[in-house]
């Protein structure tokens, strides 16, 4: 056991069927005026209407902003904030998928500190606490309800950009699996695969030392025994429930497993961080306009194969959490069996197996590798070091669908 560990999480996390009904009580502890950030689809549901009614019955005034778009376009945040400024909220409630939660964080940031989002790109750029955020996810994947990051798309930049700060962690997260029951199969698969990738990359991330300055100078600080606890819980639950939830969306137990798995994965990677699969997805996503979760999941088996040379034992532990039979197997054989099970699971739920199938142009493989290597906060978290040649080989292997070549 390491003598260093760290976690940064919301003050309150509620999980379980029906917990959405606690929203008025949770909000009542934070103030009396709530800006709600959601999307147009969910704003038209009966569940949303009842949530708003509950808040108003608790004497909480509500302003609904229901124009949230996927990937949180930078300028849309300014529109939301301008619409809310005269209302003068004292909290922001994000209800919806990851984009709704990220919008809520960004709105709280600008309503508190002013300026424009560009002022806060990167790590530790937020000068102090922001207006309280309550995160109520309706999908199970991003983990944004418990993480210190908001990801947005900036029209002046090729890749998505992140704002990372412990001040962005929601004050409260309310995770009710009933909110995910109508999530379509494709979105369930992509979001769940995203969560499994979060958990595995957090569990296999590099250990970054134990200096007192580490957590004060970096938001994502590598694996520790505390993050490992959440990562393994996530892997177990997602391995047990994800395929079932995709096969039968009405399976309440599977939905609960997947949502708890996504939550636990967020608890892990929100401090540990992610690694090479996420680094490659940034340029791939920019070129192919495919969902983030799909891209990171496509990369995961290749990245695990590349990393196997230095973290075979940890990959074998991932396999044990997934339920892979390890009896009589060496660590190396168990690691290979784990990667095979990840590939099988992803194929079963419809994850695209290669970067070529995602639509990455053949002449953009080298550019993708160069851009991915430049995302230092992710690359330095990878347990096996990467230089440009290694990254090019990894991206080429994922483009070709050659799992063996990614081990080089």
């Amino acid at each position: 056991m390491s003598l260093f560990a760290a976690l940064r999480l919301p003050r309150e996390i509620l999980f379980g069927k029906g917990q959405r009904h606690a929203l008025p009580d949770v909000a009542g502890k934070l103030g009396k005026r709530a800006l709600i950030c959601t999307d147009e689809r969910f704003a038209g549901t009966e569940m949303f209407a009842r949530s708003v009614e509950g808040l108003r019955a608790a004497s909480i005034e509500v302003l609904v902003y229901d124009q949230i778009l996927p990937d949180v376009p930078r300028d849309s945040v300014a529109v939301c904030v301008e619409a809310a400024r005269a209302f003068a909220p004292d909290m922001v409630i994000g209800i919806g998928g990851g984009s709704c939660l990220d919008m809520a964080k960004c709105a709280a940031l600008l309503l508190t500190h002013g300026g424009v989002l560009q002022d806060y790109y990167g790590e530790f750029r937020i000068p102090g606490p922001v207006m309280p955020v309550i995160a109520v996810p309706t999908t199970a994947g991003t983990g944004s309800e418990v993480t210190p990051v908001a990801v947005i798309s900036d029209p002046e930049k090729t890749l998505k950009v992140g704002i990372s700060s412990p001040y962005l962690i929601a004050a409260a997260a309310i995770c009710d699996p009933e909110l995910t029951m109508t999530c379509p199969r494709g979105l369930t698969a992509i979001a769940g695969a995203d969560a499994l990738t979060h958990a595995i990359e957090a569990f296999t991330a590099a250990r970054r030392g134990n200096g007192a300055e580490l957590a004060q100078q970096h938001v994502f600080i590598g694996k520790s025994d505390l993050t490992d606890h959440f990562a393994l819980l996530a892997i177990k639950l997602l391995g047990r429930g994800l395929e079932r939830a995709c096969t039968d969306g009405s399976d309440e137990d599977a939905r609960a497993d997947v949502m708890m798995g996504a939550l636990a994965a967020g608890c892990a990677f929100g401090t540990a961080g992610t690694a090479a699969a996420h680094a490659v997805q940034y340029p791939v996503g920019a070129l192919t306009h495919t969902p983030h979760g799909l891209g990171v999941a496509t990369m995961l088996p290749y990245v695990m194969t590349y990393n196997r040379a230095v973290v075979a034992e940890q990959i074998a532990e991932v396999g044990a959490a997934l339920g892979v039979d390890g009896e009589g197997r060496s660590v190396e054989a168990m690691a290979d069996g784990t990667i095979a099970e990840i590939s099988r699971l992803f194929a079963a739920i419809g994850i695209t197996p290669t970067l070529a199938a995602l639509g990455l142009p053949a002449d953009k493989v080298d550019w993708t590798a160069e851009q991915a290597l430049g995302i230092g906060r992710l690359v330095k978290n990878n347990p096996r070091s990467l230089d440009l040649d290694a990254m090019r080989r990894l991206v080429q292997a994922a483009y070709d669908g050659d799992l063996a070549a990614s081990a080089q």
Side-chain angles (χ1 to χ4, degrees):
M1 180 174 178
S2 168
L3 295 179
F4 170 78
L7 279 177
R8 302 186 183 102
L9 295 173
R11 294 196 296 270
E12 185 171 16
I13 300 174
L14 301 175
F15 179 93
K17 181 178 179 179
Q19 286 300 312
R20 66 188 183 279
H21 301 305
L23 178 59
D25 287 335
V26 173
K29 301 171 189 174
L30 301 175
K32 289 296 183 182
R33 300 175 68 81
L35 166 65
I36 299 182
C37 295
T38 192
D39 57 48
E40 194 171 15
R41 184 204 65 80
F42 191 71
T45 65
E46 182 64 24
M47 277 188 173
F48 181 78
R50 290 181 180 176
S51 294
V52 172
E53 288 171 7
L55 289 165
R56 287 175 171 151
S59 300
I60 297 171
E61 293 188 51
V62 171
L63 174 67
V64 175
Y65 185 83
D66 63 1
Q67 299 299 306
I68 311 302
L69 300 173
D71 301 324
V72 193
R74 182 198 67 192
D75 296 339
S76 72
V77 179
V79 173
C80 173
V81 168
E82 188 60 31
R85 201 175 295 281
F87 177 71
D90 44 30
M91 75 187 85
V92 185
I93 301 173
I95 304 180
S99 293
C100 295
L101 307 190
D102 284 356
M103 172 65 94
K105 294 178 183 181
C106 291
L109 166 60
L110 294 188
L111 285 166
T112 303
H113 294 294
V116 293
L117 284 183
Q118 298 94 304
D119 298 334
Y120 306 103
Y121 290 172
E123 292 190 326
F124 283 117
R125 299 288 301 277
I126 300 175
V130 306
M131 186 178 299
V133 173
I134 301 174
V136 187
T138 61
T139 61
T142 71
S144 185
E145 63 271 17
V146 293
T147 66
V149 63
V151 178
I152 67 166
S153 52
D154 186 322
E156 298 177 11
K157 296 183 178 293
T158 303
L159 309 185
K160 291 182 186 177
V161 293
I163 301 172
S164 303
S165 168
Y167 291 128
L168 278 187
I169 298 173
I174 301 176
C175 304
D176 186 335
E178 284 190 320
L179 293 174
T180 70
M181 295 297 290
T182 59
C183 190
R185 183 188 190 279
L187 180 55
T188 298
I190 290 170
D194 187 19
L196 186 54
T197 304
H198 290 155
I200 291 173
E201 288 213 296
F203 185 70
T204 57
R207 285 193 186 270
R208 302 268 293 281
N210 58 7
E213 74 284 351
L214 177 64
Q216 309 312 311
Q217 296 178 359
H218 301 277
V219 175
F220 303 107
I221 59 175
K223 72 185 265 107
S224 73
D225 294 284
L226 288 176
T227 61
D228 283 355
H229 168 79
F230 285 105
L232 287 174
L233 173 62
I235 293 163
K236 175 183 176 181
L237 292 171
L238 290 161
R240 186 172 75 188
L242 179 54
E243 190 171 354
R244 287 166 48 211
C246 292
T247 301
D248 179 7
S250 66
D251 186 329
E252 292 186 0
D253 290 339
R255 289 289 192 184
D257 278 350
V258 172
M259 191 173 218
M260 176 70 87
L263 169 65
C267 292
F269 93 85
T271 302
T274 52
H278 278 70
V280 174
Q281 164 53 19
Y282 273 92
V284 168
L287 290 172
T288 65
H289 305 290
T290 47
H292 166 84
L294 183 60
V296 297
T298 295
M299 281 303 304
L300 183 63
Y302 302 98
V303 171
M304 292 177 73
T305 302
Y306 177 79
N307 289 335
R308 177 189 174 280
V310 296
V311 288
E313 186 172 339
Q314 291 170 22
I315 293 175
E317 289 183 72
V318 170
L322 287 170
V324 175
D325 184 7
E327 186 173 355
R329 282 180 158 182
S330 66
V331 168
E332 290 74 16
M334 183 64 171
D336 289 341
T338 300
I339 296 168
E341 170 57 17
I342 294 292
S343 298
R344 183 211 66 78
L345 171 60
F346 283 176
I349 64 175
I351 298 300
T352 308
T354 68
L355 295 182
L358 277 182
L360 182 70
D363 62 358
K364 290 295 186 180
V365 167
D366 285 353
W367 180 86
T368 296
E370 292 165 5
Q371 295 298 311
L373 192 67
I375 307 175
R377 66 180 174 85
L378 299 176
V379 171
K380 69 186 177 184
N381 229 21
N382 204 66
R384 183 182 175 190
S385 62
L386 284 152
D387 58 19
L388 185 55
D389 285 342
M391 184 66 86
R392 282 173 173 159
R393 290 195 300 270
L394 177 60
V395 174
Q396 187 68 58
Y399 181 88
D400 295 335
D402 188 347
L403 202 61
S406 60
Q408 298 177 7

